[in-house]
Amino acid sequence: MTADRNQSRHHHNTPWWEHVCARDVLRVIAAWDHLRTLIPADTPHPSRYLHHHTRLALHLLRDLQQVRTVCAHPHIRTLTQTDLDRALTTAYHAIARLNEHP
């Protein structure tokens, strides 16, 4: 049994955000907001723009965008610390790559 499944079994009556690092929830929101300042405002598909300009995997960038949405609207679905860690790693790599080639 994975740690996430085991954790959810023991904590099924409490909200997911009580079992992750609250600072990481805020970091995901802040990192996505920072990325949005680096993307032209009229860009209809931010994940595709980031993929084109950073060469990061599109599925990771879409995941980052979805995780950020759930962080801002936690009733949508459950997140794990692994979800937050993956999103933050993607965000920080995207920011670094965009800053290399402004």
Side-chain angles (χ1 to χ4, degrees):
M1 179 177 289
T2 66
D4 290 339
R5 285 181 67 200
N6 191 26
Q7 182 179 19
S8 67
R9 202 177 246 188
H10 294 332
H11 301 292
H12 67 278
N13 291 328
T14 57
W16 65 263
W17 56 85
E18 291 185 14
H19 307 287
V20 298
C21 178
R23 286 185 181 157
D24 287 345
V25 172
L26 297 175
R27 285 182 183 113
V28 168
I29 293 170
W32 180 256
D33 287 354
H34 179 69
L35 280 169
R36 290 294 298 171
T37 68
L38 302 174
I39 299 170
D42 61 347
T43 301
H45 303 285
S47 296
R48 285 190 206 158
Y49 177 92
L50 290 170
H51 169 66
H52 179 73
H53 287 86
T54 65
R55 294 294 178 212
L56 291 171
L58 184 57
H59 75 276
L60 290 174
L61 294 162
R62 285 183 173 153
D63 176 71
L64 164 60
Q65 188 173 7
Q66 291 169 358
V67 169
R68 183 268 173 217
T69 299
V70 175
C71 286
H73 308 279
H75 63 281
I76 293 174
R77 69 176 173 97
T78 299
L79 292 177
T80 65
Q81 186 62 46
T82 301
D83 295 324
L84 297 174
D85 293 343
R86 184 180 57 251
L88 285 171
T89 299
T90 302
Y92 294 152
H93 282 287
I95 291 166
R97 289 184 187 189
L98 288 174
N99 285 334
E100 286 175 5
H101 306 286

